Amino acid sequence: MFTSDKKLDIMKSICWDYNVSLQSMLDVIEGRAESANGVFDRKKLLTRCLQRLPWHYVTELWDKDVLIELYDCELSKGLFPKQKRSEIDGMFSILRKEPLPHTGWSDEYSKSLQRAFLSDRWNGVEQGVLQS
């Protein structure tokens, strides 16, 4: 469990480029305010946290039920790069006790990887490097 001072330090790291009170951002996260100085509402602040903080910090700052309530397709689309969005979508699937997204390791995907990494030299006219 983070202390108030630790939470405020974390707030510094995510919103250093805005002139917003750290305490007002913490109030938004903890549900005591609707927005922080008119700049960040809860969804914008959550998006910023997901983009810039490790997952264990996010789960310490935000209540689990609030995270589940706020995270939707719209918020997910605001995350970048695509790899990060995919990872966070998976984490929210776990929080919601939903099945995890498909990994993409189908038979066809495996064959496409094999074609990409393995040459077809054994089936060509000249088999092998050395010739007799």
Side-chain angles (χ1 to χ4, degrees):
M1 193 76 176
F2 288 153
T3 65
S4 284
D5 291 336
K6 176 69 174 170
K7 289 179 181 181
L8 292 173
D9 282 342
I10 293 170
M11 292 294 101
K12 282 183 205 172
S13 70
I14 63 168
C15 292
W16 57 269
D17 52 346
Y18 283 87
N19 188 16
V20 178
S21 159
L22 300 176
Q23 185 59 51
S24 68
M25 288 191 300
L26 197 54
D27 289 343
V28 170
I29 289 174
E30 294 176 350
R32 292 188 296 266
E34 289 298 314
S35 74
N37 298 43
V39 177
F40 289 107
D41 62 7
R42 290 186 103 184
K43 281 198 171 199
K44 286 181 184 176
L45 195 53
L46 177 56
T47 302
R48 191 108 169 157
C49 287
L50 291 170
Q51 280 292 144
R52 297 180 178 218
L53 294 177
W55 179 250
H56 64 280
Y57 280 14
V58 173
T59 56
E60 280 288 327
L61 289 173
W62 294 83
D63 181 66
K64 178 183 137 188
D65 295 330
V66 172
L67 285 172
I68 291 171
E69 176 189 332
L70 292 177
Y71 194 77
D72 56 13
C73 290
E74 180 185 329
L75 196 142
S76 174
K77 288 178 186 176
L79 299 174
F80 60 91
K82 186 178 180 182
Q83 175 68 26
K84 183 157 186 106
R85 181 183 322 132
S86 176
E87 290 170 5
I88 292 173
D89 285 345
M91 290 179 205
F92 275 95
S93 291
I94 292 170
L95 274 181
R96 291 182 175 133
K97 297 181 175 141
E98 298 171 348
L100 291 174
H102 188 269
T103 61
W105 285 99
S106 65
D107 189 46
E108 185 58 37
Y109 184 66
S110 296
K111 286 178 184 175
S112 72
L113 285 178
Q114 184 179 13
R115 285 191 298 271
F117 291 109
L118 301 175
S119 70
D120 199 28
R121 67 182 177 156
W122 303 115
N123 297 322
V125 176
E126 296 179 29
Q127 293 187 2
V129 178
L130 301 175
Q131 296 189 14
S132 49

